[in-house]
Amino acid sequence: MASQSAVVDIFSVTKSKSWNSTETVFAIGGCIDSQDIDCYKYFIILLNFELVQGADSMGSTLSRLGQVGALDVAIQFACFVVAAALKTEKFYDFSASCTYILLILFSYNNFKHDYLLSSSSSSSPASFGPTRSFINSTLVCLWAARLGSFLLRRILHDGKDSRFDKVRDRPSRFFVYWMVQALWIFLTALPVYIINCNKDDALSSSSSSVGESPLGVRDVVGWSMWVIGFLIESTADAQKSAFKNNPRNKGKFIDTGLWYEEGIILLDTEAI
């Protein structure tokens, strides 16, 4: 009876093709207890299915990431064409922020949110996407919107960005700046793109309202660090703008506030 039960356990898990790690452990445990050759045969089948499913899942995720990357390059290339024609860099930083938001929305809506909606007929919280994916995507969009609007206001006030003085009229070098920015946009938000593109994880957890896996301390720590970093960045930008807008500080380097404090810390670290 023990042998038959173990074989049935492994066969049922293998047949479903939608097991999780817990089911696999119980199936293996039953097989070891039974010490039956037929049970081990089914266990080999189970491992084979796991390997194939894992490869398919990885391939699908990479394919979706490829679409995100292609859209990223396409947007930045289109912006470069316009900027090169107008010989301006005024929307360089702002276009980066917009691209961040578009890629997040594209990856979330196409590969996470819509898939869950089509996989569930109920109006449960899971229909709005896994919690972790939704929160991470929202935080990236908030950060990009704040930074992009700040940098746009700054360059409209200053009139130009001195970083582009030697490349603004040289399309070949100007192009490199835009492509480096495309790479930067893709790499810095890559963890969120990966979560959003992992449709299989979304399906496996669609019955849960907590996302790809239960939320834990690491999520809280990560989001807390985001809040702290967001506040520091916002405060530092506001302080630096106030410093530069003061006519008495023209030509001076900021020596107050967070920018100055961070500079002192960096200098002390280098000295050590």
Side-chain angles (χ1 to χ4, degrees):
M1 290 297 293
S3 173
Q4 291 179 352
S5 175
V7 171
V8 170
D9 287 342
I10 287 188
F11 180 74
S12 62
V13 173
T14 304
K15 186 177 180 181
S16 70
K17 300 182 183 179
S18 61
W19 58 82
N20 55 39
S21 57
T22 303
E23 292 172 326
T24 304
V25 170
F26 278 114
I28 295 173
C31 183
I32 294 174
D33 290 339
S34 71
Q35 296 182 352
D36 186 89
I37 188 64
D38 290 334
C39 184
Y40 285 105
K41 289 179 181 179
Y42 281 109
F43 174 55
I44 293 174
I45 296 174
L46 173 65
L47 290 180
N48 182 60
F49 271 119
E50 284 208 31
L51 290 173
V52 171
Q53 188 184 49
D56 290 343
S57 175
M58 179 62 71
S60 298
T61 300
L62 291 177
S63 176
R64 299 182 196 109
L65 281 174
Q67 295 180 45
V68 173
L71 180 60
D72 175 25
V73 173
I75 293 173
Q76 287 299 293
F77 179 76
C79 291
F80 156 73
V81 171
V82 176
L86 299 177
K87 296 183 179 181
T88 181
E89 75 286 359
K90 288 186 177 180
F91 58 88
Y92 178 81
D93 292 319
F94 183 69
S95 73
S97 295
C98 292
T99 304
Y100 273 113
I101 295 173
L102 288 174
L103 295 184
I104 290 295
L105 294 178
F106 174 76
S107 61
Y108 182 82
N109 288 328
N110 286 1
F111 305 135
K112 183 71 71 175
H113 180 63
D114 287 351
Y115 187 79
L116 285 170
L117 286 176
S118 64
S119 302
S120 175
S121 58
S122 66
S123 58
S124 62
S127 298
F128 297 96
T131 303
R132 180 179 294 112
S133 178
F134 176 78
I135 293 178
N136 289 346
S137 297
T138 301
L139 295 181
V140 172
C141 290
L142 288 175
W143 166 79
R146 190 217 67 88
L147 183 60
S149 59
F150 167 77
L151 294 176
L152 180 63
R153 290 195 304 271
R154 187 178 71 177
I155 196 168
L156 291 178
H157 177 269
D158 296 343
K160 70 170 187 175
D161 188 334
S162 59
R163 294 176 299 171
F164 298 89
D165 287 345
K166 297 182 179 180
V167 301
R168 191 182 298 109
D169 299 326
R170 303 177 62 181
S172 60
R173 294 189 63 181
F174 202 22
F175 171 78
V176 174
Y177 276 65
W178 288 91
M179 290 302 100
V180 169
Q181 177 161 268
L183 180 62
W184 178 257
I185 292 168
F186 185 77
L187 292 179
T188 52
L190 184 58
V192 182
Y193 301 145
I194 291 176
I195 292 176
N196 289 350
C197 289
N198 200 340
K199 181 173 65 177
D200 300 301
D201 280 352
L203 178 60
S204 66
S205 64
S206 61
S207 61
S208 171
S209 62
V210 295
E212 291 77 2
S213 59
L215 299 182
V217 175
R218 287 183 297 179
D219 296 289
V220 176
V221 171
W223 294 331
S224 299
M225 291 176 64
W226 182 92
V227 171
I228 294 172
F230 186 82
L231 292 176
I232 290 176
E233 182 185 72
S234 302
T235 303
D237 285 339
Q239 291 175 343
K240 187 176 181 180
S241 294
F243 181 87
K244 291 181 64 177
N245 291 334
N246 188 335
R248 292 179 298 178
N249 296 326
K250 185 176 181 179
K252 296 181 181 180
F253 186 82
I254 184 171
D255 57 357
T256 59
L258 290 174
W259 275 91
Y260 180 72
E261 296 294 338
E262 291 172 2
I264 293 297
I265 292 174
L266 289 175
L267 289 174
D268 289 342
T269 303
E270 290 178 358
I272 295 174

